[in-house]
Amino acid sequence: MHPMIDFKYARKRKELADLMQEKGIRDPRVLAAINKIERHKFIPDSALHSHAYEDKAFPIGAGQTISHPYTVSFQSQLLEVKPGDKILEIGTGSGYQAAVLAELGADLYTIERQKELYDKTTPFLKSLGYTNIKFYYGDGYLGKPAFAPFDKIIITAAAPEIPTKLLDQLKIGGILVIPLDDKQGAQDMLRLTKIGSKEFKREEFEKFAFVPMLKGQAE
Ligand code: SAH
């Protein structure tokens, strides 16, 4: 690649990290990850690459989108990731959110229901050198009981309800971050902290817009 192009995107990445800070993201490790990860590589249409460091969602195939950088930063910050945290992500998509969590030191399990995206994103993230991510094709509503309990669970699609199977797969003291559909076209960002086997502390944050969390897996 031409060095000018690299330089241009490096500057844009820094500007995006600065924008995230202006918008209220405080976790320095999240900001460092945004500054580091080459978001344009997660967007299949190269005509969009010069826009990849704007705070926008873009198509990634199979009718899905890469989330806004602010959304990714906000959810990542809410998870309070500590190195070695065992984290389950629902909705691998482009892999951008997964890369941010991997940069934060997560031991990540990520599930995608679209075969096309699973097939594309798995080798792509491996090619970037992330060895702390395990990829699964399937229905995220079911979670990954074989690897439970998790320290943290993050859902990156609009959930019509809070999946009880995922709550069961969370450690006591663990955190689940979920955009819960408000049935009016947007989602409320919730953070649930498990304080007993059936007891949760519930915090509600601002509204976001996600593609829907769907049941079952797509071919
Ligand atoms: N984290 C992704 C967000 C992609 S959009 C990124 O950074 O790009 C949400 C993704 O969730 C889509 O790829 C969609 O196919 C997936 N999804 C929706 N419902 C799901 C389910 N039940 N299980 C697993 N993945 C799901």
Side-chain angles (χ1 to χ4, degrees):
M1 198 190 279
H2 194 283
M4 281 301 285
I5 303 283
D6 275 338
F7 174 73
K8 190 167 78 179
Y9 288 152
R11 192 177 58 212
K12 286 189 178 199
R13 265 193 296 288
K14 175 69 169 69
E15 286 168 359
L16 179 61
D18 290 347
L19 177 65
M20 295 301 102
Q21 193 167 17
E22 279 165 36
K23 289 194 170 184
I25 303 300
R26 289 285 166 262
D27 186 333
R29 296 171 317 133
V30 171
L31 296 170
I34 299 297
N35 191 21
K36 177 174 177 188
I37 300 167
E38 297 188 286
R39 188 170 185 255
H40 65 280
K41 293 186 176 171
F42 295 73
I43 298 170
D45 181 354
S46 58
L48 295 170
H49 284 182
S50 62
H51 298 282
Y53 300 96
E54 295 167 16
D55 192 18
K56 289 181 182 160
F58 294 103
I60 55 171
Q64 307 304 315
T65 54
I66 181 173
S67 300
H68 289 68
Y70 179 66
T71 306
V72 171
S73 302
F74 196 90
Q75 288 194 281
S76 301
Q77 178 167 277
L78 284 183
L79 276 182
E80 296 174 353
V81 181
K82 293 192 291 292
D85 270 356
K86 192 170 160 187
I87 302 186
L88 176 66
E89 180 194 25
I90 312 303
T92 315
S94 69
Y96 184 71
Q97 172 73 75
V100 170
L101 296 174
E103 291 288 347
L104 296 176
D107 170 22
L108 187 67
Y109 297 72
T110 184
I111 311 177
E112 173 55 55
R113 70 180 290 282
Q114 293 282 353
K115 185 81 165 43
E116 174 190 335
L117 295 176
Y118 165 79
D119 285 342
K120 196 162 66 174
T121 300
T122 302
F124 167 63
L125 278 182
K126 286 185 176 164
S127 78
L128 295 183
Y130 293 112
T131 53
N132 49 343
I133 308 178
K134 272 80 66 188
F135 299 90
Y136 301 94
Y137 165 54
D139 181 0
Y141 275 97
L142 308 176
K144 271 284 149 206
F147 300 104
F150 295 94
D151 295 299
K152 315 275 164 71
I153 300 179
I154 173 172
I155 296 161
T156 71
E161 77 254 12
I162 301 171
T164 50
K165 286 193 171 127
L166 298 184
L167 294 177
D168 291 342
Q169 291 174 34
L170 199 57
K171 268 184 201 167
I172 305 280
I175 291 173
L176 177 133
V177 170
I178 179 168
L180 185 65
D181 206 63
D182 67 3
K183 316 287 179 199
Q184 293 174 332
Q187 294 83 46
D188 297 306
M189 191 63 74
L190 300 186
R191 175 164 67 183
L192 302 181
T193 306
K194 191 163 183 173
I195 53 179
S197 60
K198 298 276 173 223
E199 235 189 313
F200 295 86
K201 175 180 123 188
R202 177 187 168 119
E203 295 166 280
E204 193 170 319
F205 300 89
E206 59 206 73
K207 287 192 191 283
F208 289 86
F210 284 83
V211 295
M213 182 176 182
L214 301 172
K215 294 232 156 88
Q217 59 193 51
E219 286 300 319

